[in-house]
Amino acid sequence: MSSTELPSAPAANVLPKVAAVRVGEGERLRSVGLPGITLTVRSRPPAREGLPPALYVHGLGGSSQNWSALMEQLEGDVDCEAVDLPGFGDSPPPDDGDYSITAHARAVIRYLDASDRGPVHLFGNSLGGAVTTRVAAVRPDLVRTLTLVSPALPEVRVQRSAVPTALLAMPGVTALFTRLTREWTAEQRVRGVLHLCYGDPGRVTPEGFRNAVEEMERRLQLPYFWDAMTRSARGLVNAYTLGGQHALWRQAERVLAPTLLVYGGRDQLVGYRMCRRAARTFRDSRLLSLPEAGHVAMMEYPEVVARAFRELLAETGESRAASGGPVVGSESAVESVAAVESASAAGDGVVSESAGS
């Protein structure tokens, strides 16, 4: 094996015992065996029978827990499930060690096909946004609507604060980083992640911080943790370089499902300016821009994201069909593409709604 290759992750059946993954009140975890992968699925029982299914896909270094707050908000609107991608959360590494965007998308498709829950309302954040964009493009039959929170789609000018994450894809960088941060405590690591991912880390409650530290301690015990991070970062960078029909922006153009785009004005990983290109590219899109939010708006402002999604349901008729009655709406949280383009042409920038409203 050359010095640039990563060691293979240990087989799932020889992994060391680590602390159990946290399960929030009202949530359930189950393990699903599929060809070449085993996925952990977090679910929240719907408030009533007959609600349309939804599936949530997390970002790089995240897990299904990233969606718990939004799932709680939407338990009366959709039948919620969130998946731990292979090598993340409580899901073991894939048998073939493939962490490419295509492999992650294949895992989501395999689960949807096997569970027979499709078509679903599909949600993706960051890396999960790239994954779900690919799923929606290649398997439109599986997707009712698509909601993307700070999707990791290619940028020509990457933000400086996002460079360290991208560097994980380079050979040797992960080993160097782990040596340099060997003495860091789980608390220090969590504070770093919160400052990178949140527009306002102060919105995290003391209980939320303790839970994040507990999860970080658990992950650091996993021998494949850095392997999954590095290979997934490399898979994302590689996807950025693809051309032709496999290019992510080209696939975004092919998405037929009504799409809700959510961008944070304080996002340090995905450029806020990319919301304009995304609004132009996804053919049936509407935009929710949150100037005070960071990279994980569904964790910072779950009630605002939930309200925007309910409006999407109302537009597509899903809310009326599920409730059996008329939709009672509130002031619109989203702007149509036409409104965004009109505001841009007028020189006013992207029309946005304050996260505090």
Side-chain angles (χ1 to χ4, degrees):
M1 182 172 68
S2 72
S3 60
T4 61
E5 292 180 314
L6 290 167
S8 298
N13 60 356
V14 297
L15 294 176
K17 294 290 184 181
V18 298
V21 170
R22 180 179 177 277
V23 183
E25 184 177 353
E27 294 183 341
R28 301 171 183 171
L29 283 186
R30 73 179 190 279
S31 183
V32 179
L34 299 167
I37 54 173
T38 299
L39 299 178
T40 295
V41 179
R42 182 179 302 266
S43 62
R44 190 173 190 89
R48 60 184 183 278
E49 293 184 1
L51 292 179
L55 185 69
Y56 304 79
V57 184
H58 63 81
L60 181 66
S63 75
S64 58
Q65 293 185 62
N66 295 162
W67 297 102
S68 290
L70 185 61
M71 289 170 66
E72 184 174 4
Q73 288 281 329
L74 293 177
E75 65 181 356
D77 303 281
V78 289
D79 185 350
C80 300
E81 288 190 346
V83 64
D84 286 331
L85 291 173
F88 293 93
D90 204 36
S91 293
D95 291 352
D96 59 5
D98 188 351
Y99 289 94
S100 65
I101 296 296
T102 297
H104 284 317
R106 187 184 307 123
V108 172
I109 290 171
R110 283 178 179 171
Y111 173 69
L112 289 175
D113 280 338
S115 65
D116 197 28
R117 295 183 80 239
V120 299
H121 295 288
L122 190 59
F123 293 71
N125 169 234
S126 191
L127 167 73
V131 170
T132 53
T133 294
R134 181 154 292 176
V135 172
V138 302
R139 288 293 305 274
D141 59 304
L142 294 177
V143 184
R144 295 176 184 236
T145 65
L146 180 64
T147 297
L148 302 176
V149 181
S150 295
L153 300 175
E155 300 182 44
V156 175
R157 292 183 292 116
V158 178
Q159 295 187 101
R160 188 173 302 175
S161 52
V163 171
T165 302
L167 287 176
L168 285 177
M170 296 183 62
V173 170
T174 299
L176 175 62
F177 180 77
T178 53
R179 286 198 301 271
L180 293 175
T181 62
R182 186 179 294 114
E183 303 303 319
W184 288 14
T185 65
E187 289 87 349
Q188 289 174 311
R189 295 176 189 273
V190 168
R191 287 194 182 94
V193 171
L194 293 180
H195 278 86
L196 182 64
C197 293
Y198 274 67
D200 178 11
R203 293 184 65 85
V204 179
T205 64
E207 180 184 7
F209 182 79
R210 289 193 299 270
N211 292 338
V213 170
E214 179 182 298
E215 174 62 11
M216 179 63 73
E217 291 173 338
R218 187 193 71 83
R219 293 184 188 188
L220 291 173
Q221 297 179 52
L222 298 171
Y224 58 83
F225 172 73
W226 286 112
D227 183 73
M229 286 283 290
T230 302
R231 291 180 187 265
S232 290
R234 187 173 297 172
L236 184 58
V237 171
N238 288 342
Y240 278 20
T241 65
L242 291 176
Q245 294 300 314
H246 296 290
L248 284 172
W249 283 113
R250 182 69 63 83
Q251 291 192 319
E253 294 174 347
R254 293 165 52 192
V255 172
L256 300 176
T259 302
L260 171 62
L261 303 166
V262 183
Y263 281 82
R266 295 183 177 180
D267 195 330
Q268 299 183 64
L269 295 171
V270 170
Y272 185 57
R273 64 186 180 277
M274 298 305 295
C275 66
R276 295 186 185 184
R277 180 174 182 181
R280 290 194 301 266
T281 302
F282 288 89
R283 64 178 69 188
D284 183 10
S285 67
R286 59 280 297 147
L287 174 66
L288 171 63
S289 58
L290 301 173
E292 303 302 317
H295 191 60
V296 287
M298 75 286 188
M299 299 174 72
E300 285 193 270
Y301 300 102
E303 68 288 346
V304 180
V305 176
R307 180 157 62 95
F309 176 70
R310 290 190 193 101
E311 291 179 12
L312 179 64
L313 288 183
E315 284 186 38
T316 58
E318 292 281 356
S319 183
R320 185 184 299 270
S323 65
V327 177
V328 179
S330 57
E331 182 181 354
S332 178
V334 297
E335 295 291 338
S336 68
V337 175
V340 172
E341 292 302 319
S342 296
S344 298
D348 294 329
V350 177
V351 176
S352 62
E353 170 190 327
S354 171
S357 62

